[in-house]
Structure formats: structure tokens, C-alpha cells
Amino acid sequence: MLGKTLTAIWLLSAGLATGEDEMDRPSEVVVLTNKNFEHDTQLSSGGTTGDWFVKFYAPWCGHCKKLEPDWEEVAYELKEEGRINVAKVDVTANSALGKRFSVKSFPTLKLFKAKEKETYTYKAGPEWPRDAEHLIKFATGGYKGFEGEPTPPPPDMMRELKAFVGQGFESLLFYATNPGKVQAHEWGFLSIGLTAGVLSCLVALRLMKSLIGVAKEPKEKAY
């Protein structure tokens, strides 16, 4: 009887010690922001930092809070295997990343395959619940059963300016060729809007030309 009691006490203390160790161990989850995302992940270059499993979340999200311990476990296990980086992005503080990766709900979990430059979104459901076991399974091969998509590049000012100018000219062309689409009382507002649009396009074009000029300027070469 005494032996059984001592064994039970030992098992209980061992379990408590293990729990304390897990609570005390440092987090392996990397915190990514607008500033360090490209530098750390190197996704646009297909760099050498490896694949990344990223949680896009909001601090107020109840599902995100519930996922936190499992996400820590995923980071710890994948770190042990040395294959996949696990990170998180607070979208409320880094909205540019949320926009870039089309984050529309929380939490959104995305696996970025660096060399392939492809992204796989974890679609939670009955077969794929948000627990450590299934998340690890997804990151280590289960993602192949999901449809991937090209990883979107970081924002590019030149590309955005071209898109802006293109949209402006499309609007001008539409109203110039379809005057009947405009109601009589709307001409005043439209003229102001078109004037502002033309001016914006001209400013954007001048900025683009100046940037192109800077880009083409010869740089000193080191021999």
C-alpha cells in the first residue's frame, strides 16, 4: 500500500514538473512586423531562412487566444525538427501585411514555401481542427492536399503608381465615351473629380519619371 502511494506521489510530482518546464521554456514563435517581415522571411527572394508558418491574428480575437498554447507547441515541435519557422503577425498593428496577404478573418494561418514561392492557407474544419497535432501535420506535408497560390510580392511603389494612373485614365476614357451615363446634376461634381484625377495622374507621372531617372543614374563601381 505504501509503495503504491509513493509511486502515485512520484508520478504526480513528475507531471507537475513537466508542466512547469513547458510553462517556463522560452517561446519559439517569431514576432513579425511590417518592418522585419521581408528581412526575416526573405519570401520575395526565395531566400535561405526556410519555410514559414505564420499566424495572422488580432489581440481581441477569442479564437486567436484559444489557439495560443497550441501555436506555441507547434513552434516548439517544428523548431526541434529544424525545418519550419513559426511566427505571428498582429494585423491590427501591421495592416500592410494583412492587406498584402488578403487576411479577412482571424486567425488566418498561412504556410509560406520559400523556394517554391507558394502560399498555403490552413482551412480549419472538422477534418482539420486548430490543434497542435493537425497544424504540425499540415506544415510537414498535409498542405499538399490544399490548393496553393503564388506568394504575393511586397508592395512596390512603381507598380502601385502605374495602377493608379491606369485607373485614372480608364475613368476619364469611360466618361468621355459614355456621357449619357452621367446625370445632369452630376456634371459639376464630375468635372471637379476629373480635374483632380488629371492633376493626380500628372503628378504621379512626374514622380515616376523622376524615380526612373534616379534608377538609371550610373553608380560608382568597385573594382
Side-chain angles (χ1 to χ4, degrees):
M1 183 68 180
L2 179 61
K4 292 182 178 180
T5 302
L6 291 174
T7 300
I9 293 173
W10 181 83
L11 289 172
L12 178 60
S13 62
L16 290 172
T18 302
E20 290 176 356
D21 289 343
E22 290 180 356
M23 291 175 64
D24 293 339
R25 71 189 183 197
S27 175
E28 299 294 348
V29 178
V30 180
V31 178
L32 295 175
T33 66
N34 291 330
K35 292 183 178 180
N36 70 1
F37 191 92
E38 276 306 311
H39 177 271
D40 287 5
T41 65
Q42 300 182 21
L43 291 182
S44 60
S45 63
T48 58
T49 61
D51 298 336
W52 288 78
F53 199 10
V54 182
K55 176 182 72 173
F56 295 87
Y57 74 101
W60 47 260
C61 168
H63 292 295
C64 301
K65 294 176 181 178
K66 183 179 178 181
L67 177 61
E68 189 67 23
D70 284 286
W71 198 246
E72 290 288 342
E73 183 63 26
V74 170
Y76 179 78
E77 293 296 332
L78 294 180
K79 178 75 172 182
E80 286 285 290
E81 297 180 14
R83 288 188 291 173
I84 301 171
N85 305 285
V86 176
K88 62 181 180 180
V89 174
D90 178 358
V91 178
T92 64
N94 302 277
S95 58
L97 291 175
K99 180 180 179 182
R100 174 182 172 186
F101 297 111
S102 302
V103 176
K104 298 178 181 178
S105 61
F106 302 115
T108 293
L109 312 176
K110 290 182 178 287
L111 177 66
F112 298 101
K113 301 294 291 181
K115 291 183 179 179
E116 297 87 343
K117 292 187 179 182
E118 287 200 334
T119 302
Y120 294 85
T121 301
Y122 189 89
K123 297 178 180 178
E127 295 183 5
W128 290 93
R130 293 193 194 99
D131 58 35
E133 178 185 353
H134 286 87
L135 292 170
I136 292 170
K137 181 180 178 180
F138 173 83
T140 54
Y143 69 88
K144 295 177 182 178
F146 292 71
E147 185 176 354
E149 58 185 5
T151 299
D156 181 86
M157 187 169 63
M158 291 293 292
R159 184 170 57 249
E160 291 184 357
L161 279 174
K162 288 179 181 177
F164 172 75
V165 172
Q167 290 173 359
F169 279 118
E170 284 180 8
S171 298
L172 288 172
L173 182 62
F174 174 81
Y175 285 113
T177 56
N178 298 276
K181 296 288 185 180
V182 186
Q183 301 297 323
H185 67 279
E186 293 179 332
W187 278 109
F189 295 104
L190 180 59
S191 61
I192 295 173
L194 291 177
T195 302
V198 171
L199 291 175
S200 298
C201 290
L202 291 174
V203 170
L205 285 171
R206 287 183 63 85
L207 179 58
M208 286 175 62
K209 288 180 180 179
S210 64
L211 289 173
I212 293 171
V214 170
K216 290 183 177 180
E217 185 177 347
K219 295 181 180 180
E220 183 178 355
K221 294 182 179 180
Y223 296 94

